[in-house]
Amino acid sequence: GTTVDFRDSKRSIVIANTKKVTSGFNKFEERNASSRVDWTNIAITALGTISRGDFIATDNATINLISCVFSDMGTFGFLGNSTITGSVFRRCNLVTQSSSTITGCTFDSTNDATRAVLCNDPTKISGCTFLSSGTKHGVEINAAGTYNWVDNTFTGYASVDGSTGNEAVYNNSGGAVTLNIGAG
């Protein structure tokens, strides 16, 4: 839990195909709310499938990810002090929003079993592109309410409401969700 100030840009990281380890072996974890992580133009690619590399905000540190590309990685868990802008999540596992701000990002062919993004506040997701892997939801909303949702686009998802598992938006809040679509 020591405070970390981790600022870097224009780096490429490869997560090796580590065998004989647990799934959580390769992990970036922020465990102090006073920490700060600023990454710009960072590309991280996982080569294996056992420990793909997770990025988890355990405590509500200030995290700014700008124009990053994450390919074939594991789970991402953000909190309210996280801002993700113009980044790409390609074939990654679940991205959990938890009140973080996500703007202009691309979620391409999620590797999660059911959805690309777990969302508790749709107003903080804008200008994003969701590309279906063919069998999973784009966004699962888990908090009932009325939200303004601006400029998000979905490609390859089911064209009608239903239960195919490939819907753009899945309401799993236990209540009513109203999305006021501003554009997109």
Side-chain angles (χ1 to χ4, degrees):
T2 303
T3 301
V4 171
D5 190 320
F6 186 3
R7 302 176 198 212
D8 208 347
S9 64
K10 299 178 183 175
R11 303 285 181 210
S12 180
I13 299 169
V14 175
I15 300 172
N17 184 12
T18 48
K19 298 178 181 186
K20 300 182 183 178
V21 297
T22 63
S23 62
F25 181 76
N26 294 312
K27 185 183 291 188
F28 300 91
E29 185 175 17
E30 288 66 52
R31 299 187 74 188
N32 186 307
S34 298
S35 292
R36 182 175 184 115
V37 176
D38 290 347
W39 288 358
T40 303
N41 293 316
I42 301 294
I44 303 176
T45 302
L47 299 180
T49 57
I50 296 171
S51 183
R52 298 164 56 101
D54 298 333
F55 186 103
I56 306 295
T58 301
D59 291 319
N60 202 7
T62 299
I63 298 171
N64 298 296
L65 305 179
I66 301 166
S67 300
C68 296
V69 177
F70 305 105
S71 299
D72 301 308
M73 288 183 63
T75 300
F76 288 79
F78 299 110
L79 295 172
N81 286 336
S82 299
T83 302
I84 303 87
T85 307
S87 295
V88 176
F89 298 84
R90 183 174 295 117
R91 296 178 307 274
C92 294
N93 290 350
L94 178 64
V95 176
T96 301
Q97 177 206 20
S98 296
S99 298
S100 63
T101 301
I102 302 173
T103 306
C105 293
T106 299
F107 299 90
D108 183 359
S109 302
T110 182
N111 189 54
D112 185 70
T114 57
R115 71 277 200 212
V117 175
L118 180 60
C119 171
N120 71 325
D121 188 352
T123 61
K124 293 186 171 188
I125 297 178
S126 63
C128 292
T129 300
F130 295 84
L131 305 171
S132 176
S133 60
T135 60
K136 297 142 187 174
H137 303 296
V139 176
E140 179 180 324
I141 300 172
N142 64 359
T146 299
Y147 305 99
N148 293 325
W149 216 30
V150 180
D151 207 24
N152 296 297
T153 59
F154 295 84
T155 301
Y157 290 92
S159 59
V160 296
D161 291 343
S163 58
T164 66
N166 191 41
E167 284 73 27
V169 178
Y170 172 54
N171 175 7
N172 196 19
S173 69
V177 170
T178 301
L179 296 176
N180 296 314
I181 309 297

